[in-house]
Amino acid sequence: MSDPSEPSFVFETATLTDVGCVRKVNEDSMLALPDSGLWLVADGMGGHAAGDFASQSIVGEMQTVGVPGGAVDLRARFMERLTRANSRILQHAAELGNGTIGSTVAALLIQQGHYACIWSGDSRVYRMRGGVLTQTTRDHTEVRALLDAGTITAAEAEAWPRKNVITRAIGVSQEPECDMIEGVLADKDVFLLCSDGLTEYFHDDELERVMREHGANLDALCDQLVKTALERGGKDNVTVVAVRCHQVPLPQFEASGVYPEFGGYL
């Protein structure tokens, strides 16, 4: 049972995905389950009948997550299903016999006034709070590792030939390899989950500006983001999931009668 003193939230959600201007198959998948407190984007790799299978396996498993009893329960249900998806992808790759397949995952979990972002690969989760955009996830990519090590500069990273090589994904190791970050939810927080088909065409400062301009309407925001990615080339599938959090005011109680322990009447 939830604690009545904990803040309660309701959610607006908008989603949009597009195959892009070059690809023939959309290997991205997405999921929005507000009643469960779960949203995610998955970006498959490995080509038709492989990458799309990988991302759809993650979504398929997560659709059974149900209504959790709290934050710890949701995280346990999420990881259990991600582990099952990981096994399904490994088995499918073995059956195909044509190399590694897999999928990124970037997930937002919300329960009891707290949020957690769990991810593997380079799909991202951003949080907009008070007009300021923060990337809550950190890409699992070769270029990010080189930047963190100080081997290359930010300018060199922009043109790095292996810029899109990821170092983690679901379905490429025996167990899922993920990172997680947690935080306290605030009223009017907006989260944006997206595949790299979007972030290929946006620097964070521009993304922040677009979210300020179009964030009042999440459907319009998703439309604008995907439209811009397509206009700029759309060489990959592009997927966005936007979530706005509204805190529900605590109920006001009226009391009447005699309560001696409080010194008389209320």
Side-chain angles (χ1 to χ4, degrees):
M1 182 179 295
S2 62
D3 184 343
S5 67
E6 291 176 341
S8 179
F9 289 83
V10 295
F11 308 101
E12 286 181 67
T13 302
T15 66
L16 189 61
T17 188
D18 195 284
V19 69
C21 303
V22 177
R23 302 288 181 91
K24 302 298 183 185
V25 174
N26 193 342
E27 296 178 89
D28 286 358
S29 298
M30 61 188 178
L31 183 65
L33 296 174
D35 290 342
S36 302
L38 174 61
W39 299 260
L40 70 79
V41 166
D43 180 356
M45 61 182 188
H48 183 42
D52 49 344
F53 175 89
S55 66
Q56 290 167 15
S57 293
I58 294 172
V59 167
E61 291 290 349
M62 294 301 169
Q63 285 174 331
T64 69
V65 76
V67 180
V72 174
D73 185 27
L74 177 56
R75 194 179 310 160
R77 294 182 187 211
F78 177 87
M79 291 307 303
E80 179 184 22
R81 285 156 179 78
L82 195 62
T83 299
R84 291 206 300 257
N86 191 77
S87 298
R88 286 184 61 190
I89 297 165
L90 285 169
Q91 180 180 353
H92 191 62
E95 291 168 354
L96 291 178
N98 61 349
T100 300
I101 66 174
S103 176
T104 70
V105 65
L108 172 67
L109 289 68
I110 296 179
Q111 285 288 320
Q112 299 171 303
H114 291 75
Y115 70 88
C117 301
I118 301 177
W119 75 98
S120 182
D122 62 353
S123 293
R124 294 179 179 177
V125 182
Y126 290 90
R127 187 199 68 199
M128 188 82 162
R129 176 179 290 177
V132 177
L133 186 69
T134 302
Q135 182 183 338
T136 62
T137 56
R138 193 168 186 84
D139 297 348
H140 296 136
T141 59
E142 184 179 284
V143 72
R144 182 71 258 172
L146 292 170
L147 277 167
D148 290 346
T151 306
I152 62 174
T153 66
E156 288 172 329
E158 287 294 323
W160 197 252
R162 291 167 56 85
K163 183 178 179 181
N164 296 321
V165 174
I166 60 176
T167 55
R168 291 190 195 180
I170 305 303
V172 301
S173 56
Q174 289 305 307
E175 297 292 334
E177 295 183 357
C178 302
D179 280 337
M180 181 179 73
I181 189 169
E182 299 175 278
V184 177
L185 209 59
D187 189 30
K188 302 298 191 296
D189 275 352
V190 176
F191 290 89
L192 180 73
L193 294 73
C194 58
S195 61
D196 68 335
L198 180 77
T199 52
E200 173 77 18
Y201 298 104
F202 282 92
H203 289 293
D204 285 1
D205 56 350
E206 184 186 11
L207 192 57
E208 180 181 270
R209 178 182 58 78
V210 173
M211 289 185 69
R212 282 177 182 159
E213 292 176 356
H214 299 275
N217 183 318
L218 295 187
D219 288 311
L221 172 64
C222 291
D223 287 342
Q224 182 63 35
L225 291 172
V226 172
K227 176 185 175 184
T228 301
L230 298 180
E231 289 173 346
R232 294 177 178 178
K235 66 181 183 181
D236 200 356
N237 313 139
V238 55
T239 300
V240 292
V241 174
V243 183
R244 190 186 341 267
C245 309
H246 295 280
Q247 186 169 348
V248 179
L250 290 173
Q252 300 296 312
F253 296 99
E254 292 185 2
S256 61
V258 178
Y259 298 86
E261 64 269 36
F262 292 108
Y265 289 89
L266 288 181

